[in-house]
Amino acid sequence: MIAALQALLTRNVHALNWALRRLAAAPLASLISLLAIGIALALPAGGQMLLGNTLRIAESFGVRPQISLFLAADTDRRTAEATGARLKNHLRVREVRFVPRGETLKRFQAREGLAEVIAVLSNNPFPDAFVITPRDDGPAALEQLRDEFSRWPKVEHVQLDSDWVRRLDDLLRLARAGVALLAVLLGLGLVATTYTTIRLEMLARRAEIELSRLLGATDVYIGRPYLYLGALQGLLSGLAAWLIVLAGTLAVRGPLGELPGLGSLQLLSAQDSLILMGFATAMGWLGAALSLFRQLRNTS
Amino acid sequence: MIRFEQVSRRYPPDIAALLDLSFEIGAGELVLVSGRSGAGKTTLLKLIAAIERPDSGKVLVCGQDIGELKSALIPFLRRNLGLVFQDQKLLFDRNVFENAMLPLSIIGCPAKEAARRVRAALDKVGLKKRERALPAELSGGEQQRLAIARAVVHRPGILLADEPTTRLDPASATEIVTIFRDFQQAGVTVLIASHEQAPFAARSPRRLLLERGTLLAEPDSGLSRP
Ligand SMILES: Nc1ncnc2c1ncn2[C@@H]1O[C@H](COP(=O)(O)OP(=O)(O)O)[C@@H](O)[C@H]1O
Ligand SMILES: [Mg+2]
């Protein structure tokens, strides 16, 4: 049992070793092909980075979704205060501003044209209101909050200033689909590239593969170094893409540093970075595996 | 150890490489499979290593039926064999040490132990001092000895050598026959296919004489035929 594990470990170390030496044997060629794939992968990775920053960017232009809550006209002061306190303590509310009905009246009276209309009315037609900035400003969260607030006592109407949020969300959704599509396409490109690389590699080493078979090598043994090579190429391409995105982010941060939001442009999140590397590694491995499957079946 | 029961192997279109062949070889024997070129010697060895499968009859190696053996199990059969190929199949981009190492890498032998065994095998065939040389830098005899070292480095129970003395001068050929004898003495079952007789005459091993795929002479001794 221990001997079998040790044998497995030895074989894996051999295979990884071989793959590393294979890349190091032609450093320039390896670097160029890694960069080519890296640049391609940098597109969706960079897109993902920008997506992660959209809210930041939107905020830098001073837009932030809000909810307006209007109380019923006959609401007494205590209920109004209680509602205000309840909003302030609400976990999903970031900020609340109370707009008393008197203030609204004054604002409307100041407006030309409206002043006369209001003067006709015997008493103040405006209700007390709150302007709420939620913590989570995704459209779904906003709508959930609206529904919740509507059920509160003496709440007459809750309004989302969510038109632009919805539009931005639609755009984001489109952009996310675009990034995903790009990632899939370029991932397929990575699979195809690795497929070809491994095919050529195996053709160049056909004699050795044939011989290994005759000496009792299993397909798993024969294939292992190529799987490592494919996965390694994928991983390094992913790393190249990550570095390109990093360089791009830092480059944008510099000159735009004064712009709020852009100056604090965040790098790819740790999770996205891991996904990028994992995806690239998996695609490289897959390309190698497909290639192996074909080659080994053809030669057995 | 090895048993053929009415084994036939045909190649398209209509070549009977082996025809209705039956014999048995016990553990620790040294057997010379002789016959002219085209007699079926290589095919016989290939059947034992499951490189070819019989069209009819049974080939039993260590109790396993080669005709029935699942493809996935063939590698494990081969790990108990040592093969010296007619065309040697050395890797010319690897040095002597690395060539001899290959079977040990395949079985996953730990590096230190493997290095020790490779050196022992190279020592056995007199190539210890050439371990860094490339095969192209070796003489014909040295290349053949490297092929033998690679065939025994993993200590197989059966050694199959196809034309191991062909292309060698008589002195080198005799040396190689001596090496095979030593392996036999160490308990390895040895099968040598050769169209030559001279290098083996002094040793008079048991001989299977093939002619056009059938067995002519068995079992007596190597002296039974010129
Ligand atoms: N792969 C093959 N395809 C067709 N014919 C073959 C093949 N291998 C061997 N033969 C034929 O089978 C016969 C026996 O060949 P072989 O076993 O190589 O003989 P030997 O090793 O004794 O010279 C020969 O006639 C040879 O031409
Ligand atoms: Mg032959």
Side-chain angles (χ1 to χ4, degrees):
Chain A
M1 184 64 193
I2 299 232
L5 281 179
Q6 193 178 29
L8 189 66
L9 186 70
T10 304
R11 290 192 189 107
N12 276 285
V13 169
H14 272 307
L16 179 60
N17 231 323
W18 175 82
L20 284 169
R21 268 185 289 129
R22 186 66 203 75
L23 285 176
L28 191 65
S30 303
L31 195 68
I32 289 173
S33 80
L34 292 180
L35 265 183
I37 305 169
I39 289 169
L41 287 179
L43 290 174
Q48 181 63 28
M49 185 274 294
L50 284 178
L51 281 176
N53 279 296
T54 38
L55 283 176
R56 203 170 287 277
I57 293 168
E59 277 171 20
S60 79
F61 294 108
V63 282
R64 180 176 263 177
Q66 291 177 325
I67 302 173
S68 304
L69 184 152
F70 301 96
L71 294 174
D74 62 348
T75 313
D76 57 73
R77 212 181 156 72
R78 273 187 48 216
T79 314
E81 274 166 11
T83 307
R86 198 171 169 190
L87 282 171
K88 244 179 218 119
N89 293 330
H90 197 286
L91 283 176
R92 289 162 63 188
V93 169
R94 189 203 301 237
E95 224 177 277
V96 189
R97 188 161 56 83
F98 179 57
V99 186
R101 47 197 306 209
E103 191 181 300
T104 315
L105 182 68
K106 266 183 224 144
R107 231 184 30 225
F108 276 80
Q109 280 168 339
R111 283 203 200 166
E112 230 166 293
L114 283 177
E116 291 115 63
V117 179
I118 289 166
V120 176
L121 301 168
S122 54
N123 51 10
N124 184 351
F126 298 107
D128 284 330
F130 295 94
V131 177
I132 301 151
T133 311
R135 280 190 199 285
D136 178 355
D137 39 20
L142 287 176
E143 273 163 27
Q144 218 180 333
L145 277 181
R146 179 193 55 196
D147 296 344
E148 183 185 341
F149 295 157
S150 314
R151 289 192 297 270
W152 288 7
K154 290 292 182 191
V155 171
E156 177 88 12
H157 181 64
V158 182
Q159 189 185 323
L160 295 183
D161 330 345
S162 63
D163 251 17
W164 75 268
V165 178
R166 193 156 283 296
R167 241 175 287 142
L168 180 63
D169 194 60
D170 285 346
L171 268 175
L172 279 182
R173 211 168 294 193
L174 197 68
R176 261 188 218 119
V179 165
L181 188 68
L182 208 57
V184 167
L185 285 178
L186 295 173
L188 285 180
L190 175 52
V191 170
T193 310
T194 324
Y195 182 93
T196 311
T197 315
I198 299 297
R199 200 179 85 88
L200 293 176
E201 194 68 40
M202 289 181 78
L203 282 177
R205 308 174 73 88
R206 201 154 60 184
E208 184 187 345
I209 291 173
E210 288 291 314
L211 174 63
S212 299
R213 271 230 172 85
L214 292 172
L215 298 183
T218 58
D219 283 357
V220 174
Y221 170 87
I222 292 171
R224 192 179 281 121
Y226 299 99
L227 289 179
Y228 269 107
L229 184 59
L232 207 60
Q233 274 183 338
L235 176 66
L236 292 176
S237 308
L239 192 67
W242 189 83
L243 288 172
I244 289 167
V245 173
L246 178 75
T249 315
L250 294 179
V252 170
R253 255 190 194 181
L256 299 178
E258 291 93 74
L259 280 180
L262 283 186
S264 62
L265 206 60
Q266 281 201 332
L267 309 179
L268 263 186
S269 69
Q271 191 190 353
D272 285 343
S273 304
L274 278 181
I275 289 175
L276 168 62
M277 308 283 179
F279 177 73
T281 308
M283 291 303 108
W285 184 90
L286 182 65
L290 290 175
S291 200
L292 275 169
F293 186 72
R294 275 231 41 203
Q295 304 297 313
L296 289 180
R297 241 191 19 176
N298 283 354
T299 54
S300 66
Chain B
M1 198 110 206
I2 298 169
R3 217 173 121 103
F4 277 52
E5 294 174 7
Q6 296 170 320
V7 173
S8 296
R9 176 72 178 111
R10 290 177 192 81
Y11 290 113
D14 193 25
I15 304 164
L18 292 178
L19 206 60
D20 214 16
L21 200 62
S22 301
F23 63 87
E24 185 163 1
I25 295 172
E29 270 195 87
L30 187 149
V31 177
L32 179 64
V33 180
S34 60
R36 273 188 241 180
S37 162
K41 305 179 295 293
T42 298
T43 305
L44 189 154
L45 295 189
K46 283 181 173 174
L47 282 166
I48 298 172
I51 298 168
E52 299 283 352
R53 307 252 197 168
D55 293 315
S56 62
K58 262 189 182 178
V59 176
L60 296 164
V61 179
C62 302
Q64 279 179 308
D65 187 337
I66 297 296
E68 309 271 283
L69 194 63
K70 286 204 186 91
S71 299
L73 293 178
I74 290 177
F76 302 96
L77 167 89
R78 289 187 186 155
R79 289 177 197 183
N80 189 34
L81 304 178
L83 301 180
V84 179
F85 303 99
Q86 192 164 356
D87 57 351
Q88 294 175 332
K89 299 194 193 294
L90 300 177
L91 298 175
F92 282 85
D93 58 343
R94 310 283 185 90
N95 66 30
V96 166
F97 186 89
E98 290 162 339
N99 267 281
M101 176 77 116
L102 197 56
L104 294 177
S105 303
I106 288 170
I107 61 172
C109 183
K112 254 195 200 147
E113 166 73 3
R116 204 182 55 69
R117 284 213 221 168
V118 168
R119 297 225 161 81
L122 290 177
D123 192 26
K124 181 82 196 81
V125 299
L127 281 178
K128 199 177 183 187
K129 297 217 173 81
R130 313 285 329 253
E131 65 174 54
R132 299 284 149 219
L134 289 172
E137 296 160 8
L138 303 179
S139 72
E142 285 172 325
Q143 288 184 355
Q144 193 60 39
R145 282 183 277 153
L146 172 56
I148 294 169
R150 186 184 64 193
V152 298
V153 72
H154 56 300
R155 301 188 190 138
I158 301 173
L159 181 60
L160 307 175
D162 201 356
E163 306 285 357
T165 57
T166 313
R167 294 185 294 174
L168 298 187
D169 57 275
S172 305
T174 311
E175 259 176 55
I176 278 171
V177 176
T178 311
I179 293 173
F180 284 136
R181 261 291 179 227
D182 292 348
F183 284 125
Q184 185 214 357
Q185 246 121 53
V188 181
T189 308
V190 183
L191 250 85
I192 303 166
S194 179
H195 71 274
E196 297 183 315
Q197 318 239 343
F200 308 94
R203 300 285 181 168
S204 61
R206 175 181 165 197
R207 195 163 76 125
L208 298 176
L209 179 57
L210 285 179
E211 194 173 300
R212 286 200 217 124
T214 55
L215 209 53
L216 276 196
E218 235 260 300
D220 328 338
S221 77
L223 303 174
S224 61
R225 295 249 158 188

